[in-house]
Amino acid sequence: MNNREDCVAADRQDPLAHFKDRFDLPAGVLYMDGNSLGVLPRTAAGRAAQVISQEWGNGLIRSWNSAGWFDLPARLGDKLGGLLGAKAGELVVTDTTSLNIFKALAAALKIQQDRHPTRRIILSERDNFPTDLYMVQGLIDLLQQGYEMRLADDDLPLEQALDETVAVVLLSHVNYRSGAMHDMAAVTNQAHACGALTLWDLAHSAGAVPVDLSAAGADFAVGCTYKYLNGGPGSPAFIWVAPQHVKDFQQPLSGWWGHQRPFDMATRYEPAQGIRRYMCGSQPMVSLALVECGLDIALEAGTSAVRQKSLALGDLFIRLVEQRCGGHPLELATPCEHSRRGSHVSFLHPEGYAVMQALIARGVIGDYREPQILRFGLTPLYFGYADLWDAVEILKEVLDSKAWDKPEFKQRNAVT
Amino acid sequence: MNNREDCVAADRQDPLAHFKDRFDLPAGVLYMDGNSLGVLPRTAAGRAAQVISQEWGNGLIRSWNSAGWFDLPARLGDKLGGLLGAKAGELVVTDTTSLNIFKALAAALKIQQDRHPTRRIILSERDNFPTDLYMVQGLIDLLQQGYEMRLADDDLPLEQALDETVAVVLLSHVNYRSGAMHDMAAVTNQAHACGALTLWDLAHSAGAVPVDLSAAGADFAVGCTYKYLNGGPGSPAFIWVAPQHVKDFQQPLSGWWGHQRPFDMATRYEPAQGIRRYMCGSQPMVSLALVECGLDIALEAGTSAVRQKSLALGDLFIRLVEQRCGGHPLELATPCEHSRRGSHVSFLHPEGYAVMQALIARGVIGDYREPQILRFGLTPLYFGYADLWDAVEILKEVLDSKAWDKPEFKQRNAVT
């Protein structure tokens, strides 16, 4: 594809092209930030109206039974599990990614206390998403049991950092900044060979890249539903636990919804037999219900077709930016190799923040991450080849004209 | 008021009567479960449509700044704080009540480690809401530092249970079962005299009874927004911390939103200077935004008028039930004394579950709580004196005719 016409032709051949109609996209926008917040499924407004007017307004408290509120986290979990190589009854949609990391990590450390009681290292990566590291720190500080976080980085590669002092390995499957993807099965095997358990953060994977938790032999996974799954702003997250760990899974955020018989109103906590034990308190039903709208589209499209187009978009984006913006100080931060790439592409630019603001002002919405990173999400369900061509043309224009070099684009927003 | 006409006349005099029009109430229902799930404000559907179509659909990621998503938990917190005797910047709407208990309790224990390092008792009540006790147990089991939960009950009254081994007192201001209310200032004083800190659960207080956290000298408070505040099913909860504790407030659920500079993407967690440090991960924006609809109504009505009517309704309900259903094995479980009563009234009945199901089948929606408790919520914003008269008549009919004595009413639902 070397001109816009080629891209238009590719869109015409694209078996996923028709999914764009399932979403309400704003006019005049080329949206390349679906890796941060997904777009609005056309069914969401109607579903919200139904939950609000019928289930809440009319059903009121009866909807816990009649509208299936009590079963909703598990029912959505079963659907989502189908995208991630999990069986029914293994995954639940609840709380936030941060909280689910806390639960899974605490449970994993407890399991390791029996298996390898002296291990005190939680291994992650320096460039993992900060909240993952913050949750580790919060748990370590709380426990005061000598746990330490070890961070793999350029000086200490992951394989080298992984040794027999490691209790748990916490990794993002796809890196939020670079878009680099781990080989989940290979890393899990390495970890298991050392006696470590694995906790995978699938925030940038779910709905974007093929994931098979069972085949990879993973131990625990968490992730979010508001990025590639288009669940809505801050929609509840998910947690998965491998079947062999369920019985030993003890998590400290032991609220009423995780109780075996919550309506006995017993004073002693007794964890539910199954996945409800990963839950804690009451869930925000309107936001939770909306998760299903995006999820149904993802299930219909299938991960394989999405992945194929995502890689084709990524290859094209890298090639076009390098060809058409070659004279500018852009440095590719994302692996080219398909097996190592997620579904966004990042470039470093010394004035990355201002460049992104100038792009957004022209309707190309990506985002900026410290330091210097321009992130461009590739979302095959609603982003096409001609969209990509147009976005690169606008990037070229912004760079060629130095349109970014204005005070208003250098002024930081509260949320970047 | 000794007949329905008196009640109709009282409704005509009621300065809060017009607030009923602010809500969408289902036809044919006398709703007495607003203490469990509040009703639907008429503005909620429109607000949801706005958040979904404009903020999410059109604004997309830009809405974190342009629609004020990032500031919403604190902005709602300021409004809610006005109802609870808190100043602006002291309270934040976020996460769930259970999680906020975990945060506040962990932070309180940490503060006490400096002040009274040997104290290991967390004092609560045996009939406190179970999730409160479960969260205490989860934290104790996680810490493995010798903490124990002590439960006050009939055999061990609270005043006796409170001694100089107690680090933190965790109490529900209004009991979920009996509707009994503590004197927050008096108990806080007693606790402070022993060197203990207080954590108040306001789930059944916020929007229902007068609360002045500052005047009471309380240390920490949490509560929910989906009961008397009509925030919607599972709407986010709140947490308040007394100003003198903010600087020392270290909570273990240290997610990105609680970071001082979340968009620096630093690897080390650094708690925000103010109330954002009580937050953890991404909040469910649609459910969160809806909190404002009910909150605005509560602020407009004012706690004082609500309290006055709530007590009048409670007095009338107790009197009418005792007069008209006197021959049946009903036992009042709620204190008559105004200063000791919240905003629901409970009666014990040996067949409480079936009686409540029969009531619900006739449109009188209260709820049942183990053991034997029929709960009737009194919600002055949308429940009137004639409603109350009608509800008692239906209760009388159910009891007189033994309408509850049917298999379908004894069959337990998943959620009771």
Side-chain angles (χ1 to χ4, degrees):
Chain A
M1 287 177 255
N2 292 307
N3 53 51
R4 196 173 194 281
E5 290 66 43
D6 291 353
C7 292
V8 171
D11 283 334
R12 255 188 241 115
Q13 301 287 320
D14 173 13
L16 295 178
H18 67 282
F19 280 100
K20 195 167 189 169
D21 295 336
R22 306 290 185 88
F23 300 97
D24 269 321
L25 302 168
V29 162
L30 295 167
Y31 194 61
M32 302 185 77
D33 210 12
N35 52 314
S36 188
L37 174 64
V39 299
L40 171 62
R42 280 197 199 276
T43 53
R47 179 77 181 107
Q50 183 190 32
V51 175
I52 291 171
S53 298
Q54 291 174 41
E55 299 182 10
W56 174 16
N58 219 39
L60 284 163
I61 196 70
R62 298 168 290 193
S63 289
W64 279 94
N65 291 301
S66 61
W69 288 349
F70 190 64
D71 296 322
L72 188 58
R75 188 169 70 72
L76 294 177
D78 284 351
K79 281 198 174 191
L80 177 51
L83 274 183
L84 302 174
K87 293 190 189 62
E90 290 184 1
L91 190 145
V92 68
V93 178
T94 192
D95 290 330
T96 68
T97 307
S98 300
L99 292 164
N100 290 334
I101 287 173
F102 192 87
K103 297 172 192 171
L105 184 60
L109 292 178
K110 193 134 187 157
I111 289 170
Q112 289 290 51
Q113 270 181 2
D114 286 335
R115 297 185 180 180
H116 304 288
T118 59
R119 296 194 180 197
R120 283 295 175 273
I121 299 297
I122 298 158
L123 175 60
S124 192
E125 291 179 303
R126 192 168 303 282
D127 65 350
N128 196 353
F129 189 63
T131 211
D132 297 42
L133 306 182
Y134 301 160
M135 296 312 291
V136 174
Q137 291 166 44
L139 183 59
I140 285 177
D141 290 350
L142 185 69
L143 289 176
Q144 298 183 24
Q145 290 171 20
Y147 286 104
E148 287 175 37
M149 184 164 70
R150 181 184 291 168
L151 296 179
D153 55 18
D154 287 345
D155 297 329
L156 179 71
L158 190 63
E159 312 77 57
Q160 215 170 302
L162 185 57
D163 61 26
E164 301 198 345
T165 64
V166 175
V168 179
V169 184
L170 163 61
L171 295 172
S172 287
H173 182 222
V174 174
N175 185 277
Y176 81 103
R177 232 175 341 213
S178 68
M181 182 168 72
H182 281 294
D183 180 333
M184 186 186 288
V187 175
T188 298
N189 275 339
Q190 278 178 281
H192 286 177
C194 285
L197 295 172
T198 54
L199 166 50
W200 291 96
D201 180 344
L202 305 181
H204 287 266
S205 306
V209 301
V211 175
D212 192 332
L213 290 164
S214 306
D219 298 292
F220 309 98
V222 302
C224 95
T225 64
Y226 54 73
K227 297 177 184 286
Y228 294 97
L229 292 170
N230 305 301
S235 57
F238 64 87
I239 178 167
W240 171 85
V241 177
Q244 70 270 22
H245 296 308
V246 173
K247 172 173 72 47
D248 301 318
F249 190 93
Q250 292 178 53
Q251 62 101 347
L253 304 177
S254 46
W256 72 267
W257 209 324
H259 196 282
Q260 173 68 4
R261 291 174 303 278
F263 302 100
D264 278 9
M265 301 287 164
T267 50
R268 291 300 307 176
Y269 183 73
E270 183 190 333
Q273 286 304 310
I275 50 176
R276 270 208 296 108
R277 67 166 59 189
Y278 320 147
M279 295 187 63
C280 180
S282 300
Q283 293 303 298
M285 282 301 158
V286 183
S287 287
L288 181 64
L290 296 185
V291 171
E292 194 160 17
C293 303
L295 198 46
D296 281 343
I297 302 172
L299 286 162
E300 187 184 335
T303 308
S304 155
V306 165
R307 176 62 169 169
Q308 202 177 341
K309 181 174 169 189
S310 157
L311 288 171
L313 286 168
D315 290 345
L316 181 62
F317 188 63
I318 292 169
R319 182 164 61 81
L320 288 178
V321 171
E322 292 186 341
Q323 281 173 1
R324 304 188 63 78
C325 310
H328 298 287
L330 286 171
E331 184 189 332
L332 180 65
T334 303
C336 289
E337 209 182 326
H338 286 184
S339 65
R340 296 191 49 232
R341 195 206 303 161
S343 198
H344 70 268
V345 169
S346 297
F347 286 94
L348 291 156
H349 186 285
E351 292 287 345
Y353 186 85
V355 171
M356 184 51 74
Q357 297 311 307
L359 284 173
I360 291 171
R362 283 158 180 77
V364 177
I365 302 183
D367 64 22
Y368 172 78
R369 285 293 174 264
E370 293 291 349
Q372 300 194 359
I373 293 259
L374 299 161
R375 282 202 310 188
F376 298 96
L378 303 167
T379 48
L381 294 177
Y382 53 85
F383 197 77
Y385 298 96
D387 294 331
L388 192 77
W389 180 273
D390 295 341
V392 175
E393 287 304 284
I394 293 169
L395 174 62
K396 177 173 155 49
E397 184 266 320
V398 162
L399 294 172
D400 288 351
S401 69
K402 278 204 166 189
W404 53 266
D405 192 13
K406 289 187 181 156
E408 69 262 37
F409 295 139
K410 295 182 176 181
Q411 176 65 43
R412 297 289 175 120
N413 286 318
V415 180
T416 61
Chain B
M1 288 176 255
N2 292 308
N3 52 51
R4 194 172 194 282
E5 291 64 44
D6 290 352
C7 292
V8 170
D11 284 334
R12 252 187 244 116
Q13 302 286 322
D14 172 14
L16 295 178
H18 67 282
F19 280 100
K20 195 169 189 167
D21 295 335
R22 306 291 185 89
F23 300 97
D24 269 321
L25 301 169
V29 162
L30 295 168
Y31 195 61
M32 302 185 77
D33 210 11
N35 52 315
S36 187
L37 174 64
V39 298
L40 172 63
R42 279 196 199 276
T43 53
R47 179 77 181 108
Q50 184 190 32
V51 175
I52 291 172
S53 298
Q54 291 174 40
E55 298 183 10
W56 175 16
N58 218 39
L60 284 163
I61 196 70
R62 298 168 291 193
S63 290
W64 279 94
N65 291 301
S66 61
W69 288 349
F70 190 64
D71 296 322
L72 188 58
R75 188 169 70 72
L76 295 177
D78 285 351
K79 281 198 173 189
L80 177 51
L83 274 184
L84 301 175
K87 293 190 188 64
E90 289 185 0
L91 189 145
V92 67
V93 178
T94 192
D95 291 329
T96 67
T97 307
S98 300
L99 292 164
N100 290 335
I101 287 173
F102 192 87
K103 295 172 193 171
L105 183 60
L109 292 178
K110 193 134 188 156
I111 289 170
Q112 289 291 51
Q113 270 181 1
D114 286 335
R115 298 184 180 180
H116 304 287
T118 60
R119 295 194 181 198
R120 284 295 175 272
I121 299 296
I122 298 157
L123 175 61
S124 192
E125 290 179 303
R126 192 169 303 283
D127 65 350
N128 196 353
F129 189 62
T131 211
D132 297 41
L133 306 183
Y134 301 161
M135 296 311 293
V136 174
Q137 291 167 44
L139 183 60
I140 286 177
D141 290 351
L142 185 70
L143 289 175
Q144 297 183 24
Q145 290 170 21
Y147 286 104
E148 285 175 40
M149 184 164 70
R150 181 184 292 168
L151 297 179
D153 56 18
D154 288 345
D155 297 330
L156 180 70
L158 190 63
E159 312 75 60
Q160 216 171 302
L162 186 57
D163 61 26
E164 301 198 345
T165 65
V166 175
V168 179
V169 184
L170 163 61
L171 295 172
S172 288
H173 182 222
V174 175
N175 186 277
Y176 80 104
R177 230 173 346 211
S178 67
M181 183 167 71
H182 281 294
D183 180 333
M184 187 185 288
V187 175
T188 297
N189 275 339
Q190 278 179 281
H192 286 178
C194 286
L197 295 172
T198 55
L199 166 52
W200 290 97
D201 180 345
L202 306 181
H204 287 266
S205 306
V209 302
V211 174
D212 192 332
L213 289 164
S214 306
D219 298 291
F220 310 98
V222 302
C224 94
T225 64
Y226 53 74
K227 297 177 184 288
Y228 294 97
L229 292 170
N230 306 301
S235 58
F238 64 87
I239 177 168
W240 171 84
V241 177
Q244 69 271 23
H245 296 308
V246 173
K247 168 174 74 49
D248 301 317
F249 190 91
Q250 293 178 52
Q251 62 102 347
L253 304 178
S254 45
W256 72 266
W257 209 325
H259 196 282
Q260 172 70 6
R261 291 174 303 278
F263 302 100
D264 278 9
M265 301 287 162
T267 50
R268 291 301 306 176
Y269 182 74
E270 185 190 333
Q273 286 305 309
I275 51 175
R276 271 208 296 108
R277 66 167 58 190
Y278 321 148
M279 295 188 62
C280 181
S282 301
Q283 293 303 298
M285 283 301 158
V286 183
S287 287
L288 181 65
L290 296 185
V291 171
E292 194 160 16
C293 302
L295 198 47
D296 281 343
I297 302 172
L299 285 163
E300 187 184 335
T303 309
S304 154
V306 165
R307 176 62 169 169
Q308 202 178 342
K309 181 173 168 189
S310 157
L311 288 171
L313 286 169
D315 289 345
L316 181 63
F317 188 63
I318 292 168
R319 181 164 62 80
L320 288 179
V321 171
E322 292 185 341
Q323 281 173 0
R324 304 188 63 77
C325 310
H328 298 286
L330 286 171
E331 186 189 329
L332 181 65
T334 303
C336 288
E337 208 182 327
H338 285 186
S339 65
R340 295 190 51 232
R341 194 207 302 163
S343 197
H344 71 268
V345 170
S346 298
F347 286 93
L348 292 157
H349 187 284
E351 292 287 344
Y353 185 85
V355 171
M356 185 50 74
Q357 296 312 305
L359 284 172
I360 292 171
R362 281 157 181 77
V364 178
I365 303 184
D367 63 22
Y368 172 77
R369 286 291 175 266
E370 292 291 351
Q372 302 193 358
I373 293 258
L374 298 162
R375 280 201 312 187
F376 299 95
L378 303 167
T379 48
L381 294 177
Y382 53 85
F383 197 77
Y385 299 96
D387 294 331
L388 191 77
W389 179 274
D390 295 341
V392 174
E393 287 304 283
I394 294 170
L395 174 62
K396 177 173 156 49
E397 184 266 319
V398 162
L399 294 172
D400 287 351
S401 68
K402 279 204 166 189
W404 53 266
D405 193 12
K406 289 187 181 155
E408 70 261 35
F409 295 141
K410 295 182 175 182
Q411 176 65 42
R412 297 289 174 119
N413 287 317
V415 180
T416 61

